[in-house]
Amino acid sequence: MEFSEYFPVWDKLTPAQRQHISDLVEQRSVKKGTHIHDSSAECLGLVIVRSGQLRAYILSEDGREITLSRLFDYDVSLLSASCVMPDMQMNVMIEAEKDTEFWSIPACLFKNLMEESLPVANFARNLISSNFSELMWLMEQIMWKSFDKRLAAFLLEEMNLEGSPVLKITHERIAAHMGTAREVVTRMLRYFQSEGMVRLTRGTVEVTDEKKLLALQG
């Protein structure tokens, strides 16, 4: 079963547990832009990405988005399994940033596995710890790092992900990732353009001086 290559503790499960997962795990294919989980949906469970790219984010009271994490091939996330982590109070949304294939282990099944299997329980704790560390890092960036440095780092990350200096992304989409207003992004990008770091066209940001962005991000 291909799934076994993606689930880190598969070889530590009993034959019965493996069979139970095989019977209940769901494999899905979604198109770019599809929302696979939101605050009003039933608990999705453990998500394991086979291929593609997912984005986990939250909404502020005024509807502003901020990206918590991105998931790529082989990545595993419990952010869509709030019923497994009852103390987690965040309403996390997950959408596909690219055409994506993923598996989901039903929350009730994963919760039972955590209770039955020490390796699964340890894996879940490590995963929760990792997610928490990522959230703390994000909070530190927002609280202590100036927006120009954060934007420079974001553009460089996008360039690395897309393998191209030409980023087909709107100012509104950047704002959604970074938890700010579109107008703030537009002003800073125009400043970057005046400094020769980027070139702006409709729906596109082209990085023209990577070295300057690297120096700016610190």
Side-chain angles (χ1 to χ4, degrees):
M1 180 184 179
E2 185 185 17
F3 172 81
S4 63
E5 301 173 17
Y6 290 76
F7 191 46
V9 290
W10 179 264
D11 60 345
K12 294 180 173 62
L13 300 176
T14 66
Q17 289 168 338
R18 293 179 186 178
Q19 187 59 52
H20 201 186
I21 292 178
S22 299
D23 291 340
L24 296 179
V25 68
E26 180 183 2
Q27 184 171 358
R28 293 176 57 186
S29 297
V30 295
K31 294 294 185 181
K32 177 181 177 180
T34 302
H35 282 76
I36 67 170
H37 182 264
D38 61 43
S39 56
S40 63
E42 292 184 7
C43 189
L44 183 61
L46 188 79
V47 168
I48 303 173
V49 180
R50 181 180 182 275
S51 62
Q53 185 173 313
L54 300 177
R55 169 186 175 236
Y57 66 98
I58 55 174
L59 286 173
S60 67
E61 291 184 358
D62 61 357
R64 190 172 297 173
E65 299 178 10
I66 186 166
T67 299
L68 299 179
S69 64
R70 284 159 141 178
L71 305 174
F72 307 98
D73 300 8
Y74 287 90
D75 280 348
V76 183
S77 178
L78 264 175
L79 290 175
S80 57
S82 56
C83 48
V84 176
M85 300 180 293
D87 293 331
M88 188 179 78
Q89 299 300 314
M90 291 187 303
N91 291 323
V92 178
M93 323 289 187
I94 299 180
E95 67 171 351
E97 289 195 299
K98 296 181 179 180
D99 292 352
T100 301
E101 292 185 21
F102 69 94
W103 289 280
S104 62
I105 298 179
C108 57
L109 172 56
F110 190 71
K111 190 172 183 180
N112 288 338
L113 286 172
M114 287 171 59
E115 294 170 354
E116 296 172 0
S117 169
L118 181 59
V120 173
N122 288 336
F123 168 69
R125 278 195 292 269
N126 290 336
L127 193 57
I128 292 169
S129 176
S130 175
N131 289 160
F132 180 74
S133 295
E134 289 176 1
L135 293 177
M136 290 301 296
W137 178 86
L138 176 62
M139 290 300 296
E140 288 175 359
Q141 296 296 302
I142 294 172
M143 293 176 66
W144 308 119
K145 200 167 186 178
S146 62
F147 184 70
D148 58 342
K149 294 180 182 295
R150 290 177 57 216
L151 181 57
F154 175 81
L155 294 176
L156 291 168
E157 179 186 21
E158 285 295 298
M159 204 174 100
N160 181 57
L161 288 175
E162 299 302 325
S164 169
V166 180
L167 310 176
K168 295 181 179 179
I169 189 169
T170 64
H171 298 191
E172 185 174 4
R173 187 65 175 171
I174 295 173
H177 276 291
M178 305 190 71
T180 190
R182 178 185 58 80
E183 294 78 10
V184 175
V185 172
T186 297
R187 283 197 297 270
M188 191 59 70
L189 284 174
R190 285 175 178 168
Y191 168 71
F192 282 7
Q193 181 169 248
S194 71
E195 293 294 310
M197 292 182 277
V198 302
R199 181 182 297 115
L200 305 177
T201 55
R202 187 174 181 83
T204 301
V205 178
E206 180 183 357
V207 175
T208 53
D209 196 326
E210 184 179 355
K211 288 183 179 180
K212 278 189 177 181
L213 286 179
L214 283 167
L216 177 59
Q217 77 163 351

